[in-house]
Amino acid sequence: MNIDYSDRIAALLKEMTIDEKIGQLRQCGPSIAGAFEVSFGELLNMMFDGKISKEEFDRLMSTAHQDYREEDIRRGEIGSFNGIGDSATINRLQKIALEESRLGIPLLFGYDVIHGFRTTFPIPLAESCAWDPDLWQRTARAAADEATAAGIHMTFAPMTDVARDARWGRICEGAGEDVLLNSMYGVAKVKGFQTEDLSAPDAMAACIKHFAAYGAVEAGKDYNRVDMSMQKLHEEYLPPYKACIEAGARAVMPAFNDINGVPCSANTWLLQDVLRKEWKFDGMTVSDANAVRELVSHGVAENEAEAAKMAMTAGVDMDMSSDTYRRELKKLVTNGTIPEELLDRAVANILRIKFELGLFDHPYQTDEDRESRTLMKEEYRRLALEAAQKSIVLLKNEGGILPLKKNTKLAVFGKLAKERGQMTGAWAIASKDDECVSLIDALDSCGADYIYDAAGDSIEKSAEAADVLILTLGENKEESGEAASRADIRLKKDDLDIFFRLKQTGKPVVAVLFNGRPLAVPELHDGADAILEAWYPGTEAGTALVQILFGKVNPSAKLTATFPYSTGQCPIYYAHINTGRPGAHSKYSSKYLDTPLDPLYCFGYGLSYTEYEYSNINVSAFGDEIQVTFQIRNIGNTAGDEITQCYIQDTAEERIRPVRQLKAFRRVHLEPGESKTVGYMIPLNDMMYYDWQMNRKLPCGNLKIYVGSDVNAPMYCELSMKEMKVHK
Ligand code: GLC
């Protein structure tokens, strides 16, 4: 339902003073009330500028408490907050804005609702392994219901940064390395957050991020530069953001990084030519934290005034927590450096979203009663369990050691088995540790016969009485997410020491990984009897794990990010090119001397307690579409969901094309012995690429269409474009 608010916006703009206009562009983060009385962004700058030490910064951040400068609200000099997550505070501040400021413009409350609010779902990288758009939308809907019950109007999500380097800590926050998966994941989240009526009290605006290509930071180092061809940017990084805009996302967050030397927050080509003109986006943009002021650190802005001018000109509407607009814009507009029309443009974009959210017509969208009834609803716990069940990947199951028999005697090792708070992963700001179920909790609840030896102090003794040993290991959630890049993604020495000691007992060892990125785990690959990749499964982590361990649930998840043998292979991803010297057969081929060429676990890979057989692939061309059909049968004795995948290789084009690209997938439920026919219709347009001059081209070479259970699917059909009547 698209209502045109332009008249109401224009009328309001006419009444607003320049201070009130600039106030609308100001988003305050958690303010630091300590000795400095400054915002998070200002504090960050003081540390960057060497005015305070890192220790002082950390101390002050630890004293952060929310004193929201209520006087600024009364003066109409704050338009939005980030990071307030309770209805009592939100309604109190909203009342001040509505009743005590001159124009009564409502505040917009944003929050990082990344994978749930109070009920925590698996981290996005985990949930993406479900390959289930319906699930992704349902968990977003639940998160929006909880967050709006707490008074939140906008989430800084989904993150749809294609990420192919496991050293980057933020790979945990998106749908992995594939373009199609990130696009479909993002669209599902936007629909789940916003619904068809953004003004509904349980709908919240989606702010897609980080625009653009943040996942391609050089060397996997957070906040680092991004430098790539325009072809690669358009073919492999922009499509997920575009899909989200087409799905109706109402906000965009420019990324911290530059693209080819121009920071996104000052990138007029990106924010005007692409976002506004080509994609017709009419929502609002909000900078990433402190990013406006960081144009100075990037070295493109001489000073903060220049930073404000560049960001405003490029099209950053709202300034998150740097207060650069607050300090610099009035002077720049009054002295004519920045035309007031640009200021009005930014204010209008923000007011439009506030109107669309219904904040002018019904600003109080929740209360403490709705909040207490909604948060952590039993229905959302059940949904968190479903999401966790579908996100945990079975990577290895030697001799079918899993599922375990009910009376199996277990010895459990590793501190992560009991740490509820670790199960939420990064960005679970509103979750409460004790509401999460750990593996130990779940073993207790199901009456399992186990002993727990967290540190492995008495491995030999603990193992003696056990039939199967379970080792939990991986990384702490603090080693994942923002500002958490790692130059070495191997398992920790202590964990490996315990693992090898467990191996020496001769008992079967089941490794359970808790981590936010692919890890280099060749030791487990070689020596463990079974490996479950649990990621950070969220509120119902332990329950889902125990159900999979004992076979109540048949694992179905498949990897959406490639696992390397070693850190040195990063970035490693499936949609690579062939090179002129593919393979490792000869000395003079594209490979390493000291590491295998292939990954440890490939994209799309995941085992089940049953087996599936693919047959009868058939490909035909219908106008501008390719139809692929095939049979799939469950040839085992356990029901399960198989994620069927279809990849296409395009050869003999004007530019090199990836060896395979995912073009369709579908979850299929099959009872033992059951067989189904599955069909995909793939528009030729999905195979477009850009030539050297950046002209969009349809494929005109030969297509190889692969169907199977992971990216290495062997079965394929060939299709010559020359035989197809391709419409130019
Ligand atoms: C952070 C992140 C961004 C998040 C924002 C608001 O720096 O880069 O993803 O949404 O700040 O908290």
Side-chain angles (χ1 to χ4, degrees), residues 529-566:
D529 295 271
I531 305 171
L532 280 173
E533 173 51 79
W535 308 107
Y536 296 110
T539 301
E540 286 295 328
T543 317
L545 268 170
V546 162
Q547 289 177 340
I548 287 174
L549 283 167
F550 287 99
K552 186 161 181 248
V553 167
N554 182 1
S556 58
K558 304 243 178 180
L559 294 179
T560 55
T562 302
F563 272 56
Y565 259 100
S566 75

Side-chain angles (χ1 to χ4, degrees), residues 27 40 82 112 114 156-157 170 173 209-210 214 223 253 256 287-289 320 427 429 482:
Q27 183 178 74
F40 165 69
N82 162 23
D112 287 290
I114 309 298
F156 304 120
R170 304 200 75 166
E173 296 177 48
K209 68 186 187 182
H210 302 80
Y214 185 15
Y223 313 120
M253 181 185 287
F256 285 125
S287 76
D288 204 337
M320 180 192 285
W427 291 107
I429 312 167
E482 183 173 358

